[in-house]
Amino acid sequence: MKHQNIFLTILTVAGAIVCAACTDYDIPINPVPVMTIGEATDITRTSAVIHAYAGRASSNRLTIEYGGKGGHFTTTAPLTPVGDSIICTLSPLTPGTEYACRLCSYNGRTEVRSKETCFSTLPNTKPSVSALTALAQGPTSIIVAYIITDDGGDDIMSSGCRARNGATGEQKTFLADSGKNGTEIEIAIGGLERHTPYELWPFAINNLGESTGTALSFTTGNSILLGEGGNLKELMQGDDNDYITLSFAGKMHGDDFRYLREMKVENLNIADVNIIEGGEAYVPSRFTKDNIVGYGMFSDMEIRSVVLPLTAESVEEQALKDCASLVSLTMPANASVILPSDGCYALEEIEVPAANKHYRSIDGILYDADVTQIVWMPMGKTGEIELPATVTAVGAYAFRGCRFTEFVMSNNVKEMGQAAFYGSKVEKAVLSDALKTIATAAFQKCASLKEVHLGNATELLGEYVFDGTLIEHLYVNATIPPVCYDNTFVNNAIDIFDHCTLHVPSASAVMYRNHRHWGKFKNMVEY
């Protein structure tokens, strides 16, 4: 009985061991994955996106096998699923080709593949071209740009721009040097007719045909669009016609101004220009600076009118030196510093936009913002000049070479610089009652001067005040004879004491007759 129990125990343990072994063997270490593959999306000529599902395959090696239907399959690099989902982009593919693809799983011993899904890549097409953009424009030329947005999957054989004359219907083709996807292509189109409507459109050609972009319509004229600057010479393309009027817009630097100085133009409008640093010197040793109308920039040019850039912050001295034909000048709206130029003999008016907070123009004369000082008197202004009552000072050489014939100074002027009327055409001048000193050479070389009125506050006359004049009448309102120098009345043209009549207040006549200088006038009239 005892032996029988021991035997049963041994059998029970052995049976348990066998059963346990059988249970472990029946459970697979790597279960067979559940795999599906969806339809391809985002199909292009050379790529497609594959969406697949792989359940129970987290530790397996997963790949996509793909190839031309019925041909050799290519295997992707191992894929990393997100959960059970797989997204894979197949590229590069052959355009216009039918493909089959499937998901493959490998667990170290066996490979399992999903059913195949099929798709076809898009075929090659004609290229696609963007709309045409104007970069710069001249009177007989234009620089345009476009982009080949898609080469259609084939090499571009030819690309460029076509231009149709709207008046005659004549069409011309301008070829680009090359054309690539996504690269901006620029073309300079010249030889156009002035004041003529044109239609331009870009094109690109591959083996499958030609495509064109949206057309650009414009009319040639006297406006020049410069774009980023430095292309004025290219735009003009040797066009040396005489232009009555030219308007510019865009950016200009030294190269542009150097070429502009060679052009023949009467009326120049660069209000919409931004002056930028760059390029070569526009005149020897002078280079452009941002927003500065520089020294000598327009010097010696044969122009009748100039509108300077609205955005310029400064107009340097002698910027328009010796522009002898210049009649009209418009200053920048943004300028805080404006200095005059010599030799503008014909200049009749200087205008400044109302937006300028630093200067003001009245009757073509440039004043400071408060109209207390004359900044620039146009030399070519004729007729009678009467200064506003707000003017308190007149600078040295303020009216040098001016052509006006009569001048009336407001009684608020207390200061006048030397040689204020030097070489002018003034014939009659009435000075301020508040002016105490008549500065040195005030009317020197005023060959047309006939009559001068000195205010009642006059205390001193400087040297050579009337030298080189033909003055005939001098009115002195001061009750006390002003101080003079020995050479105050020196005159290389006439003997002023013999030629000129002196007019003095009756109550002061005796003092003038007994004065060592004033008493030399042979003709003295009391009033």
Side-chain angles (χ1 to χ4, degrees):
M1 189 69 172
K2 181 178 180 181
H3 293 289
Q4 184 179 4
N5 289 339
I6 292 173
F7 178 75
L8 290 173
T9 300
I10 293 172
L11 287 177
T12 301
V13 172
I17 293 173
V18 172
C19 289
C22 290
T23 301
D24 291 341
Y25 180 81
D26 290 341
I27 299 175
I29 297 174
N30 295 308
V32 177
V34 177
M35 300 192 301
T36 59
I37 190 164
E39 293 185 358
T41 63
D42 301 309
I43 301 171
T44 69
R45 292 190 303 272
T46 59
S47 66
V49 177
I50 304 300
H51 300 263
Y53 172 83
R56 300 202 304 263
S58 59
S59 61
N60 292 6
R61 179 177 179 272
L62 299 171
T63 58
I64 296 286
E65 297 177 338
Y66 65 98
K69 196 168 183 181
H72 175 72
F73 274 71
T74 298
T75 302
T76 67
L79 305 173
T80 301
V82 178
D84 294 332
S85 297
I86 296 170
I87 300 177
C88 175
T89 299
L90 303 181
S91 177
L93 305 178
T94 303
T97 302
E98 186 176 5
Y99 281 89
C101 65
R102 60 204 178 196
L103 180 62
C104 178
S105 173
Y106 178 66
N107 63 8
R109 293 179 299 174
T110 59
E111 287 185 331
V112 179
R113 292 177 174 81
S114 70
K115 292 183 179 180
E116 293 183 357
T117 187
C118 297
F119 65 90
S120 295
T121 53
L122 300 179
N124 285 343
T125 62
K126 294 187 293 185
S128 298
V129 184
S130 72
L132 202 61
T133 302
L135 300 180
Q137 180 180 336
T140 60
S141 63
I142 187 170
I143 298 176
V144 294
Y146 63 95
I147 297 174
I148 299 176
T149 56
D150 190 341
D151 61 12
D154 207 344
D155 292 338
I156 298 296
M157 300 169 58
S158 177
S159 181
C161 185
R162 293 195 172 91
R164 179 186 293 120
N165 186 314
T168 65
E170 180 185 6
Q171 181 172 306
K172 293 182 179 180
T173 298
F174 299 84
L175 295 177
D177 293 335
S178 62
K180 296 181 180 179
N181 272 4
T183 302
E184 186 173 74
I185 300 168
E186 292 187 14
I187 298 181
I189 297 173
L192 306 179
E193 299 291 332
R194 293 173 61 187
H195 303 290
T196 302
Y198 279 90
E199 185 179 35
L200 310 176
W201 63 94
F203 70 90
I205 301 172
N206 65 11
N207 282 315
L208 294 173
E210 175 179 335
S211 295
T212 59
T214 303
L216 170 70
S217 298
F218 77 105
T219 300
T220 55
N222 291 331
S223 296
I224 298 177
L225 176 64
L226 292 165
E228 293 302 310
N231 53 15
L232 178 57
K233 185 174 183 179
E234 181 183 10
L235 278 173
M236 299 308 295
Q237 297 191 10
D239 179 6
D240 58 358
N241 291 324
D242 293 350
Y243 289 95
I244 301 299
T245 301
L246 278 179
S247 298
F248 292 75
K251 297 178 181 179
M252 295 181 69
H253 60 49
D255 292 345
D256 300 305
F257 283 104
R258 189 177 64 225
Y259 188 77
L260 175 62
R261 292 174 54 80
E262 300 175 6
M263 297 174 61
K264 298 177 181 179
V265 55
E266 290 189 20
N267 304 301
L268 179 63
N269 187 334
I270 57 173
D272 295 325
V273 162
N274 288 326
I275 300 174
I276 60 173
E277 183 177 341
E280 300 297 327
Y282 55 85
V283 294
S285 302
R286 294 289 176 177
F287 297 85
T288 52
K289 295 172 284 187
D290 289 347
N291 298 316
I292 303 296
V293 180
Y295 182 101
M297 185 168 280
F298 301 95
S299 60
D300 300 297
M301 289 185 66
E302 297 179 2
I303 44 180
R304 287 184 54 81
S305 70
V306 177
V307 180
L308 295 177
L310 292 171
T311 56
E313 299 171 356
S314 173
V315 179
E316 293 184 345
E317 63 176 343
Q318 311 301 356
L320 297 108
K321 186 177 187 298
D322 294 331
C323 289
S325 303
L326 184 64
V327 174
S328 174
L329 175 61
T330 301
M331 291 297 181
N334 204 38
S336 59
V337 176
I338 296 177
L339 298 175
S341 298
D342 297 330
C344 300
Y345 304 113
L347 186 59
E348 297 178 2
E349 62 176 359
I350 301 172
E351 299 296 332
V352 62
N356 190 298
K357 305 302 181 184
H358 304 279
Y359 298 93
R360 185 176 173 188
S361 175
I362 300 176
D363 296 330
I365 303 170
L366 188 65
Y367 299 90
D368 62 352
D370 298 325
V371 196
T372 59
Q373 293 185 343
I374 300 170
V375 176
W376 191 346
M377 171 66 75
M379 296 179 69
K381 197 168 184 62
T382 60
E384 180 179 341
I385 300 295
E386 184 171 355
L387 296 185
T390 51
V391 176
T392 59
V394 172
Y397 296 94
F399 312 120
R400 177 173 53 184
C402 288
R403 293 169 57 189
F404 56 75
T405 53
E406 293 191 28
F407 180 86
V408 178
M409 183 181 289
S410 77
N411 285 328
N412 289 324
V413 175
K414 297 180 180 180
E415 298 179 9
M416 182 173 72
Q418 69 175 15
F421 293 87
Y422 184 90
S424 74
K425 302 295 183 182
V426 64
E427 298 176 7
K428 177 182 177 180
V430 179
L431 302 186
S432 169
D433 280 338
L435 189 63
K436 294 181 178 181
T437 300
I438 309 303
T440 297
F443 295 96
Q444 193 171 40
K445 295 189 180 298
C446 294
S448 302
L449 186 66
K450 299 293 190 297
E451 182 178 327
V452 174
H453 294 250
L454 303 183
N456 52 33
T458 305
E459 296 177 354
L460 171 68
L461 273 70
E463 299 176 306
Y464 305 105
V465 172
F466 303 103
D467 182 32
T469 73
L470 300 176
I471 186 169
E472 297 176 357
H473 295 277
L474 176 58
Y475 292 80
V476 185
N477 293 335
T479 55
I480 298 176
V483 175
C484 300
Y485 295 98
D486 289 341
N487 51 9
T488 291
F489 297 106
V490 168
N491 192 321
N492 294 323
I494 58 170
D495 181 347
I496 195 170
F497 298 118
D498 184 56
H499 188 269
C500 179
T501 298
L502 178 64
H503 301 261
V504 298
S506 297
S508 305
V510 174
M511 286 189 287
Y512 278 92
R513 285 192 175 93
N514 293 329
H515 195 277
R516 63 185 292 260
H517 294 299
W518 294 106
K520 294 179 181 180
F521 280 87
K522 296 179 180 178
N523 301 308
M524 188 178 298
V525 176
E526 302 174 22
Y527 67 94

